[in-house]
Amino acid sequence: MFTIKAENKVIGQIKPMHSCCSGPRTGGAHLRNDATDIFKEIGIHSCRLHDVEGAYSCNQYVDVHCVFPNFDADENDDKNYNFIPTDNYLNAIKASGAKVYYRLGESIDHYPLKHYVVPPKDYMKWARICEHIIRHYNQGWANGFYMDIEYWEIWNEPEGRAQWRGSYEEFYELYTVTATHLKKCFPDLKIGGYSAVGFYSATRPKDHDWYNPWFSTIVPFMDGFFDYIKDKNVPLDFFSWHAYTLSPEEVAECSKFIRNYLDEKGYTKTESLLTELHMYYALGSKPVAQYSQFMSDLLALYVELHDTPVDEAFFYDLRLNGFNDVFYKDPLDGFIKKRPGFYAMKFFGDVYRLKNQIALDYKKGQGVYAIGSSNGKDNAIAISCRSYSGELCIDTNFHAVDVVEVSPTMEQSKITARLENGKAIFGAKEQHIYYVKFN
């Protein structure tokens, strides 16, 4: 029997590990694919705007060149901005109840001839364009909005040739000019970057580092960035980074690595944001959603990551593409339908809604991952039995308990737990996840 003891003790607030990249409406010019109901069920915290609608954001959405198509035009004239498509996209996010996290820069460019992932002709002008984008969405400029978007991220994965075709120093200078200008204009907003591609060469054994030698350049790029901005006292309210991981434990190690790195560099107050997160299965040939363990792995990852020094995590991504292991569009009837990953995100989202994390005592490393929360009245524990089958005991002096089980094939059932001396005991199965409500 595996025992989880839930203590009547609040140890902090639940952090939003269940944010995502992309918004609830996708599908080209008319955003015809609507997953708003799924976003609401999960309770998505924030939507990061990167790779929106694919390469170049269909030349309409979010990216700087999409919003301001002619770089030679006057950046102070609102007639030179193409805001309407992005307005519609962001309004759909707000309608779902999620916050907007805006990436200033360009989407990934996989084509041989790179059009937009090159250094701007004029860094200061590029910064002023970004300034006007912020004014449009936060201050009503150009018939705009008052969305109170707090996080503004400069660029994405500049270490990769599909995202930046300039030199290291050219990117450092672009960040310096832009962050300094934006922080001067908007001192209360959070300005940061740069969504590092990952730290696999620092946290993974070399025999598992399949992208060497490219991954070996990531930490030197980061070293140069921090040396450059520290010398010039450049703002960095948050540092963003990515992890495409083989296990929950690996991404937890990445989180610890970057927090230690920031602290050692003197950035003790800079937030750590994991802005792209996903599971890989040793680069198997199947889509991740087809692996039966994905649902339990994802919930285990959220649990393992939550208690590390990361402030927020974003699943990549919830577009209708190969990376979306949460829902899909049925080609036969055209309806949006759920995949098992939905339940991992929903269980964590339900825990997040209760706000306060409660202390759980259980033996680690046994294939069980659990996180509990309370709002003072309602209490819940989300559990992933990633590699455990057998009886599960929740010890917390129960008066009443409700247990919901979801299998890897999305079969849902309510389990009747037996109560013994205030303990709830029920049978658990490997790769299944559980949501326990109690008072």
Side-chain angles (χ1 to χ4, degrees), residues 70-109:
N70 179 8
F71 193 83
D72 294 325
D74 181 1
E75 73 274 18
N76 299 302
D77 186 345
D78 62 4
K79 295 183 181 63
N80 295 321
Y81 289 81
N82 174 35
F83 281 123
I84 292 176
T86 305
D87 292 351
N88 295 336
Y89 197 90
L90 269 61
N91 280 328
I93 292 173
K94 301 296 281 189
S96 76
K99 296 181 179 182
V100 174
Y101 175 107
Y102 202 111
R103 190 271 293 125
L104 297 163
E106 300 294 338
S107 296
I108 196 166
D109 185 348

Side-chain angles (χ1 to χ4, degrees), residues 19-27 33-36 38-39 42 44 51 53 89 244 277-280 286-291 294-295 298 302 315-330 335-343 345 410:
S19 292
C20 69
C21 293
S22 294
R25 297 200 63 158
T26 57
N33 302 317
D34 189 355
T36 299
I38 286 180
F39 274 58
I42 293 171
I44 294 291
D51 287 349
E53 293 296 296
Y89 197 90
Y244 289 80
L277 169 67
H278 208 96
M279 295 289 298
Y280 272 142
K286 298 186 297 184
V288 173
Q290 294 183 17
Y291 287 82
F294 176 70
M295 178 183 66
L298 183 57
Y302 285 148
F315 182 85
Y316 186 97
D317 63 2
L318 294 191
R319 285 182 295 145
L320 288 169
N321 69 355
F323 281 97
N324 187 341
D325 303 301
V326 176
F327 58 86
Y328 69 102
K329 186 175 182 178
D330 192 317
F335 288 107
I336 304 290
K337 297 181 179 179
K338 298 168 184 174
R339 284 178 165 151
F342 164 83
Y343 294 95
M345 292 192 80
M410 298 196 302

Side-chain angles (χ1 to χ4, degrees), residues 5 8 30 67 85 87 139 171 192 194 206 212 220 250 263 275 301 327 329 335 386 402 429:
K5 183 174 179 58
N8 185 21
H30 303 290
V67 176
D87 292 351
Q139 297 182 350
F171 176 76
Y194 49 82
K206 286 293 184 289
N212 258 340
E250 182 185 30
D263 292 347
T275 47
L301 192 157
F327 58 86
K329 186 175 182 178
F335 288 107
R386 185 174 180 239
D402 180 36
K429 298 177 182 176

Side-chain angles (χ1 to χ4, degrees), residues 45-47 49 62 83-102 133-152 189:
H45 180 266
S46 300
C47 295
L49 307 185
V62 177
F83 281 123
I84 292 176
T86 305
D87 292 351
N88 295 336
Y89 197 90
L90 269 61
N91 280 328
I93 292 173
K94 301 296 281 189
S96 76
K99 296 181 179 182
V100 174
Y101 175 107
Y102 202 111
I133 293 172
I134 295 175
R135 293 197 187 282
H136 176 75
Y137 289 110
N138 277 3
Q139 297 182 350
W141 183 76
N143 196 29
F145 305 88
Y146 296 87
M147 291 189 175
D148 194 28
I149 301 172
E150 184 178 16
Y151 288 87
W152 296 86
L189 298 183

